[in-house]
Amino acid sequence: MTTNIAVFDGHNDVLLRLYKSTSPDVVSDFLRGEDAGHIDLKKAQAGCFVGGLFAMYSPSPGNFAALSKQMTGGRYAVPLPDPLPMEDARRPVLGELAILMKVLRQSQGAVTLCRTAAEIDAAIGRASLAVVLHLEGCEAIDGDLHFLELLYAAGLRSLGPVWSRNNIFGHGVPFQFPAGPDLGDGLTPVGEKLVRACNEMKILIDLSHITEKGFWDVARLSNAPLVATHSNAHALCSSPRNLTDRQLAAIRDSGGMVGLNFATCFLRPDGNMTADTEVDLMVRQLDYLIEKLGEDHVGFGSDFDGATVPAKIGSAAGLPVLTETLRQSGYSEALLAKLGSANWLNVLARTIG
């Protein structure tokens, strides 16, 4: 009988889901388990989901989920949302951070906020869900980076300068298909300042939503491993959110990391967002990423609670479906352990300390 592989995941949006929930007690929902969503404590335990990068994110006005329904038919162009004013961006970030702090306080040690790789190891060792705090898109941060200091003090150890929306730090790639990632300008001068600050503070810089020009700007400026927490290979799915072979080579050469995005629109050759997607496409992406990056530089970046994932996976509880499919495809236990958590823990040790 095979055992489940421990999974430390590169990206999820459960804090946003809880923030947007109309439930009167979202903290209890998370800790006790609920029908909704991809991640709660019970689903995590069922799927051997031991931790990950938990994103704080500021949604644009309106219902972007409705816009995402346009991502079908093999060809689409969803417009970039308008830039988000700083005060509008801070409100949900503070709300999501407050939810996390309540979860930590009420979990009685079952959930741990981790600031270093050693703290991640220790949390996993005592079967506590290891949370590394991430900011997806930096609209809440001012140009002087004062708010960055506050978030760092609260535990932030990872950020993406942009989501798929332009801000004062740089430019994001739109949801188009098919398209390459060279769809806008790169970092602004204050974005370059942010990269240097992240290097100094040992904050991981996520390249998953940035334009190709922005990617190369970060590669030029940063002294840390290049990391795309939830992206796939453009050669297999021509979404601008996916990475070209040249980008993959730069990540490999920096000692960096790519987390396989489970979102079906970044897996499927037709770019469609539909749960009716075979797990074999995830294996195909992993095969390719390992070929280009090597087996020490690939992991999982599910995008749970932020995207449509293959129905056979369904939620964090379904992670053993993926690992068993990989076993059946010839992946060794040693390689599965690397993909599941070891590679993430290694790159985090070399990035956040």
Side-chain angles (χ1 to χ4, degrees):
M1 179 177 176
T2 56
T3 58
N4 290 341
I5 295 296
V7 172
F8 185 93
D9 183 56
H11 185 86
N12 73 70
D13 289 292
V14 66
L15 295 178
L16 173 66
R17 179 176 67 78
L18 296 175
Y19 175 75
K20 293 171 67 176
S21 172
T22 58
S23 168
D25 191 352
V26 296
V27 173
S28 292
D29 291 343
F30 181 82
L31 294 175
R32 297 173 185 170
E34 57 177 327
D35 292 335
H38 293 150
I39 297 176
D40 56 45
L41 194 55
K42 284 192 173 181
K43 293 186 184 79
Q45 291 166 345
C48 210
F49 180 102
V50 298
L53 274 65
F54 282 59
M56 299 179 293
Y57 166 73
S58 302
S60 292
N63 186 359
F64 187 77
L67 290 177
S68 70
K69 293 178 181 178
Q70 300 175 29
M71 299 165 70
T72 58
R75 183 174 294 275
Y76 49 81
V78 180
L80 277 178
D82 292 333
L84 194 62
M86 185 175 66
E87 290 305 318
D88 291 346
R90 283 187 179 175
R91 192 175 305 110
V93 165
L94 291 172
E96 290 156 21
L97 183 58
I99 289 170
L100 175 60
M101 296 304 168
K102 292 174 185 176
V103 166
L104 295 170
R105 188 170 67 249
Q106 296 182 30
S107 76
Q108 298 182 324
V111 183
T112 300
L113 179 62
C114 301
R115 294 171 171 83
T116 66
E119 290 180 358
I120 299 169
D121 278 330
I124 293 172
R126 60 178 184 270
S128 179
L129 184 66
V131 173
V132 176
L133 193 58
H134 173 81
L135 182 65
E136 185 172 32
C138 289
E139 286 88 348
I141 297 176
D142 53 285
D144 292 324
L145 308 186
H146 296 324
F147 199 62
L148 177 65
E149 296 284 354
L150 296 178
L151 290 176
Y152 181 85
L156 183 78
R157 292 298 182 271
S158 174
L159 61 78
V162 298
W163 178 69
S164 290
R165 177 177 59 202
N166 300 336
N167 62 30
I168 64 171
F169 301 103
H171 298 261
V173 291
F175 293 93
Q176 294 184 13
F177 192 88
D182 189 12
L183 289 176
D185 292 332
L187 293 176
T188 65
V190 72
E192 295 186 355
K193 177 182 175 182
L194 176 66
V195 169
R196 289 190 289 267
C198 287
N199 283 172
E200 179 184 348
M201 300 168 74
K202 295 188 176 180
I203 297 173
L204 183 147
I205 302 166
D206 178 23
L207 300 167
S208 285
H209 281 272
I210 204 164
T211 60
E212 186 173 11
K213 286 187 175 68
F215 177 100
W216 294 115
D217 285 341
V218 174
R220 169 175 53 85
L221 291 165
S222 180
N223 59 25
L226 300 177
V227 176
T229 64
H230 56 305
S231 291
N232 296 337
H234 190 271
L236 301 183
C237 172
S238 53
S239 164
R241 275 277 282 101
N242 287 340
L243 300 161
T244 67
D245 285 356
R246 184 167 171 248
Q247 289 173 303
L248 293 175
I251 292 171
R252 177 199 64 216
D253 293 345
S254 77
M257 181 84 186
V258 174
L260 174 78
N261 195 324
F262 295 8
T264 62
C265 59
F266 307 132
L267 292 168
R268 297 173 59 95
D270 62 8
N272 286 351
M273 184 78 91
T274 172
D276 185 18
T277 296
E278 290 301 318
V279 177
D280 287 349
L281 289 178
M282 304 172 79
V283 180
R284 184 169 178 249
Q285 280 281 349
L286 285 169
D287 287 345
Y288 191 89
L289 291 172
I290 292 169
E291 175 189 341
K292 296 298 180 181
L293 292 158
E295 64 180 36
D296 295 331
H297 304 288
V298 182
F300 301 148
S302 67
D303 216 352
F304 278 149
D305 282 317
T308 299
V309 305
K312 290 180 181 177
I313 303 295
S315 72
L319 284 167
V321 173
L322 174 58
T323 54
E324 186 57 31
T325 302
L326 292 170
R327 281 192 184 97
Q328 297 300 319
S329 300
Y331 281 52
S332 69
E333 295 303 306
L335 178 53
L336 287 175
K338 287 183 177 184
L339 298 176
S341 61
N343 288 345
W344 271 120
L345 297 184
N346 182 283
V347 80
L348 285 166
R350 291 181 290 112
T351 305
I352 68 173

